[in-house]
């Protein structure tokens, strides 16, 4: 069967009252931009609490499904046959043809589930269920009816048009991006932060990102890798503005002036401070990191407390309770893993202490930071003034 339309199912969550329209409109807009990534012309339309994607010219089915599977808010993608309103005699023939073309083998159980929204339609939904079942059993003797647990549920919706579908491919779930503000993602070249960005954006949050670059300690390839990761996350999150902050001078100042075992934690605190400044300037409501308790010295609960102490914004750490393998599994699913494991150093691996503190005390760290007093304001100002900004999608 060659389908020319998809019926989009979305969760009821967030769709109550006035919000429902906002939610649906944003979802439609996001579907439109997702479909722009692929060949073909698509019309996205809303009809009675349903969203349809009509394919207006030749398109690749798998490519279209894949594009839709990147749009948060979608829970199901149903390839649907759209017919003009017609009488039962013609409709029953279409139904037979639909099953014939959709399934090579007819050795399955089915049930027909009719919804009659068009109250003018001369048959009631129960009659369509019964008659439709009879017509199909007649046409395909291998078919069996099972009203409790059918292998195939054949949906017939009688509206202005008539819709027939029997397959629901999974969507990514979540809420449409743009329904829940914006977060500033600290995006490194590792495995965790792209996953963190994906997970927060899944709840409807737009993303902006910041990467702390440290040339010449880090290579142009390391930076390119972050740009590539941002692009991969943007396939789900929509366009991402990436701030590339030159962090070398701050890092060197920390490295030369502060106790060796504290450099990582102090660096992390400056990253958070800059990220928060960028978040304030760019209308973000939260910071997002890929931290996970205990993964490395800078992510013990003690280190997290000390890092967090510089932030007044909420910091979302969706990987916090995950084991590495669980994070890897998500990164493989969202296809960031292959890029994340490319071997280019990020700035934290260059300036790493042999024995970093694992139980830093806030007052000690604050005291060590006074060693930066003479230079840090200028260096922060410079870092913010020289940021590179690019938008990927
Ligand atoms: P990831 O796999 O995300 O790189 P990681 O295991 O390497 O994480 P850390 O290097 O301790 O962990 O970094 C913790 C978090 O801090 C990262 O998940 C990321 O959000 C942020 N981060 C670290 N380095 C950078 C950087 N150079 N630029 C932007 N954010 C960074
Ligand atoms: Mg990292």
């Amino acid at each position: 069967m060659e389908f020319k339309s998809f019926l989009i199912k979305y969760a009821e969550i967030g769709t109550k009252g006035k919000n429902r329209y906002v939610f649906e409109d944003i979802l439609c807009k996001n579907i439109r931009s997702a479909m722009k990534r692929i060949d073909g012309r698509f019309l996205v339309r809303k009809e009675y609490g349903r969203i349809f994607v009509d394919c207006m010219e030749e398109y690749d089915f798998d490519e279209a499904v894949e594009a839709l599977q990147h749009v948060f808010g979608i829970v199901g993608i149903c390839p649907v046959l759209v017919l003009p309103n017609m009488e039962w005699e013609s409709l029953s023939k279409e139904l037979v043809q639909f099953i014939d073309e959709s399934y090579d083998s007819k050795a399955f159980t089915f049930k027909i589930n009719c919804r009659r929204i068009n109250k003018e339609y001369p048959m009631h939904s129960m009659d369509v269920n019964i008659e439709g079942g009879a017509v199909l059993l007649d046409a395909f003797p291998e078919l069996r009816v099972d009203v409790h647990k059918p292998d195939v549920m054949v949906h017939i919706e009688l509206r202005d048009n008539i819709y027939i579908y029997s397959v629901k491919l999974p969507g990514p779930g979540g809420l449409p991006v743009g329904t829940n503000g914006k977060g500033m993602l600290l995006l490194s070249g590792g495995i965790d932060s792209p996953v963190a960005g994906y997970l927060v954006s899944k709840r409807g949050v737009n993303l902006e990102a910041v990467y702390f670059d440290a040339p010449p300690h880090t290579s142009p390839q390391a930076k390119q890798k972050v740009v590539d990761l941002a692009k991969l996350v943007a396939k789900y999150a929509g366009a991402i503005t990436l701030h590339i902050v030159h962090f070398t001078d701050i890092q060197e100042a920390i490295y030369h002036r502060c106790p060796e075992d504290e450099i990582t934690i102090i660096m992390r605190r400056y990253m958070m401070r800059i990220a928060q400044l960028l978040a304030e300037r760019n209308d973000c409501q939260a910071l997002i990191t890929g931290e996970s308790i205990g993964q490395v010295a800078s992510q013990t609960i003690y280190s997290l407390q000390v890092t967090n102490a510089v932030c007044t914004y909420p910091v979302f750490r969706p990987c916090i309770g995950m084991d590495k393998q669980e994070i890897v599994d998500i990164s493989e699913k969202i296809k960031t893993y292959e890029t994340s494991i490319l071997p280019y150093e990020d700035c934290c691996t260059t300036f790493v202490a042999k024995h970093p503190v694992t139980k830093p005390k806030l007052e000690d760290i604050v005291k060590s930071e006074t060693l930066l007093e003479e230079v840090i304001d200028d260096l922060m100002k410079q870092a913010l003034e020289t940021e590179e900004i690019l938008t990927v999608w």
Side-chain angles (χ1 to χ4, degrees):
M1 180 106 224
E2 267 189 39
F3 290 96
K4 293 205 164 51
S5 291
F6 295 95
L7 190 167
I8 303 300
K9 300 222 164 174
Y10 48 91
E12 290 301 308
I13 181 169
T15 61
K16 306 277 180 277
K18 260 194 305 182
N19 283 343
R20 180 189 179 116
Y21 299 100
V22 177
F23 176 102
E24 289 170 346
D25 288 347
I26 294 178
L27 183 55
C28 285
K29 183 172 123 282
N30 294 350
I31 294 173
R32 279 183 203 110
S33 36
M35 301 316 276
K36 282 204 187 106
R37 291 175 188 274
I38 61 170
D39 288 336
R41 205 160 58 78
F42 302 92
L43 178 74
V44 180
R45 64 190 168 87
K46 228 166 61 161
E47 192 188 287
Y48 308 113
R50 290 269 203 233
I51 291 173
F52 292 94
V53 178
D54 298 323
C55 313
M56 311 303 283
E57 54 186 43
E58 286 279 301
Y59 76 106
D60 184 290
F61 181 85
D62 294 337
E63 217 175 59
V65 169
E66 206 213 303
L68 291 166
Q69 283 176 329
H70 283 78
V71 182
F72 290 134
I74 295 180
V75 294
I77 301 156
C78 308
V80 63
L81 174 65
V82 184
L83 300 166
N85 198 359
M86 58 177 69
E87 300 201 334
W88 176 247
E89 203 182 302
S90 320
L91 179 55
S92 61
K93 289 194 183 109
E94 294 283 355
L95 178 64
V96 169
Q97 197 185 342
F98 174 86
I99 294 297
D100 198 19
E101 289 183 18
S102 300
Y103 301 93
D104 288 341
S105 156
K106 311 293 187 288
F108 57 81
T109 62
F110 78 101
K111 174 184 176 178
I112 296 189
N113 178 12
C114 174
R115 284 183 65 195
R116 178 169 167 265
I117 287 93
N118 169 12
K119 298 297 175 205
E120 316 267 281
Y121 199 81
M123 267 165 87
H124 283 277
S125 52
M126 240 1 216
D127 300 329
V128 172
N129 291 343
I130 293 164
E131 294 284 322
V135 164
L136 289 182
L137 287 173
D138 215 30
F140 309 109
E142 312 99 287
L143 282 180
R144 292 278 172 277
V145 171
D146 183 342
V147 289
H148 301 295
K149 272 190 141 190
D151 299 325
V152 173
M153 181 75 93
V154 184
H155 298 268
I156 302 177
E157 294 192 0
L158 305 168
R159 298 171 180 271
D160 291 344
N161 289 319
I162 295 173
Y163 298 88
I164 306 180
Y165 63 96
S166 63
V167 167
K168 184 168 123 183
L169 304 163
L175 298 172
V177 173
T179 54
N180 245 315
K182 189 160 66 168
M184 180 64 73
L185 169 66
L186 285 87
L187 183 62
S188 66
I191 294 169
D192 311 326
S193 47
V195 169
Y198 161 85
L199 288 171
V200 172
S201 111
K202 185 167 182 223
R203 297 307 301 162
V205 178
N206 261 312
L207 295 184
E208 215 157 306
V210 51
Y211 167 60
F212 296 95
D213 194 18
H217 308 291
T218 58
S219 60
Q221 289 99 309
K223 178 164 135 185
Q224 186 55 46
K225 177 176 158 183
V226 173
V227 174
D228 293 342
L229 285 170
K231 277 187 196 159
L232 291 169
V233 176
K235 278 184 103 176
Y236 289 94
I240 297 178
T241 298
L242 174 62
H243 302 259
I244 299 170
V245 172
H246 299 280
F247 201 54
T248 317
D249 295 342
I250 295 180
Q251 250 177 339
E252 285 181 353
I254 297 170
Y255 190 67
H256 293 302
R257 289 167 186 253
C258 298
E260 202 230 356
D261 60 345
E262 294 175 358
I263 52 179
T264 307
I265 194 90
I266 295 176
M267 243 167 50
R268 305 260 330 119
R269 280 162 58 91
Y270 278 98
M271 283 187 187
M272 297 303 264
R273 286 181 172 108
I274 294 175
Q276 181 164 306
L277 283 168
L278 290 174
E280 281 169 19
R281 288 183 184 180
N282 294 284
D283 194 28
C284 298
Q285 292 76 43
L287 304 179
I288 305 160
T289 78
E291 289 160 312
S292 156
I293 295 175
Q295 204 185 75
V296 287
S298 60
Q299 296 177 32
T300 65
I301 199 164
Y302 307 96
S303 302
L304 288 168
Q305 184 195 20
V306 173
T307 307
N308 205 71
V310 298
C311 301
T312 54
Y313 274 40
V315 182
F316 297 148
R317 300 177 171 93
C319 303
I320 199 73
M322 291 186 198
D323 296 342
K324 194 71 190 187
Q325 189 57 47
E326 292 172 294
I327 304 173
V328 166
D329 290 347
I330 299 177
S331 77
E332 283 178 333
K333 186 180 88 177
I334 65 171
K335 305 218 159 59
T336 51
Y337 183 73
E338 293 298 322
T339 306
S340 288
I341 59 170
L342 292 174
Y344 312 115
E345 304 242 299
D346 76 10
C347 62
C348 295
T349 46
T350 307
F351 292 98
V352 77
K354 279 195 205 73
H355 301 289
V357 275
T358 51
K359 281 193 179 183
K361 285 217 169 57
L362 184 57
E363 59 268 31
D364 296 345
I365 300 298
V366 170
K367 199 165 150 221
S368 299
E369 283 179 354
T370 60
L371 300 168
L372 297 166
E373 255 167 16
E374 277 170 31
V375 292
I376 198 66
D377 287 350
D378 281 347
L379 292 180
M380 290 270 282
K381 192 160 162 262
Q382 226 174 59
L384 285 163
E385 276 169 8
T386 58
E387 64 161 337
E388 279 172 65
I389 302 177
L390 55 118
T391 300
V392 300
W393 74 285

